[in-house]
Amino acid sequence: MRILVTGGTGYIGSHTCVEAINAGHEAVVFDNLSNSSEESLNRVRAVTGTRPVFVKGDIRDRAAVSALLDKFSFDAVIHFAGLKAVGESVSKPWEYYENNICGTLVLMDELRKHGVFNFVFSSSATVYGNPEKLPLTEDAPLSALNPYGQTKLWQEDMMRAMACADPRWHIVLLRYFNPVGAHPSGLMGEDPNGIPNNLMPYITQVAIGRLRELSVFGNDYPTRDGTCIRDYIHVCDLAAGHIAVLSKINDMPGCDAVNLGSGHGYSVLEIVHAFEKAIGRPLPYRIASRRAGDAAECYADASKAERVFGWKTKRGIDEICRDAWKWQSMNPNGYGQSAS
């Protein structure tokens, strides 16, 4: 297959390019580099021997998307492009609605004009809101606690409606839980611009000395140690899930949602202590106020992914911390410095 990977220079996108190339597919990356680096594609080449074709552009730019689809014939699209930080979405809601909703509308309109209907969407467990019961199955009630979650939920609604109206669409909504870790080579990992919004890159940057201490947002949640509990999934397992979907997507008309998670919940402090074990020393942290829009606890029932695609996670929390630390220690400034 030739696959269009929007947002393919990003953390999950670049790791998915590795899995796609290793599976014999051709990846073409379309990205505006707003929160990523093209260097990630050089690392894809270092790992696989092949560098994905890169086209710089924004999914909101209709002319650029149309030109891309005129130039290349695609068998499928994996759509990662979008803003993704919960906290930032609360302070910048307009930017999230405009970027994520409008961009996806432009992309899908141009895809249907060019006859491309196999579509894998990077959704999120945030569409479950504050869970009523755990673990979360795909038929759980949907809601959103923040603008980021709303954009994911509304995009899912859009896609279900489009697939209902046009039977040519084959859409799979992949609801990620919490992607963490890095490629075991140490050559690829999470490298957000500015101060990280997600837990693991913040932890690794504190460990390497780029940041002074970790802020743990809230220790008064109704959980076993008072901190939020999440389902953390190794990014390589997550990336492999997309390739498993591509192997079945031609047989999946309509629009279907599938969880990608480990099925296990870890608290923020449990992750901190696991990382301390990986690096062999304490990690400085402080307890801060709760962050707006955070649910207390969230973890997956991922049995549908195994049943439908034959996929399940292979790596646990120790490998997640080990690989994240290897990436950061080999690349103390992320993609801004060559790997040692």
Side-chain angles (χ1 to χ4, degrees), residues 171-245:
I171 302 173
V172 178
L173 313 171
L174 291 181
R175 293 175 180 162
Y176 309 160
F177 282 68
N178 287 64
V180 285
H183 194 272
S185 66
L187 294 173
M188 298 174 59
E190 191 167 9
D191 184 33
N193 293 338
I195 303 297
N197 287 293
N198 295 327
L199 177 63
M200 189 58 75
Y202 209 112
I203 286 176
T204 61
Q205 290 189 23
V206 169
I208 203 68
R210 286 173 62 181
L211 297 172
R212 185 170 64 88
E213 65 181 3
L214 171 70
S215 295
V216 175
F217 296 107
N219 66 345
D220 58 349
Y221 286 95
T223 60
R224 53 183 172 262
D225 63 15
T227 64
C228 289
I229 289 176
R230 295 291 183 269
D231 184 334
Y232 295 94
I233 174 175
H234 196 292
V235 66
C236 292
D237 284 336
L238 183 65
H242 296 77
I243 309 309
V245 170

Side-chain angles (χ1 to χ4, degrees), residues 63 68 89 108 197 258:
L68 174 74
S89 77
M108 295 191 77
N197 287 293
V258 181

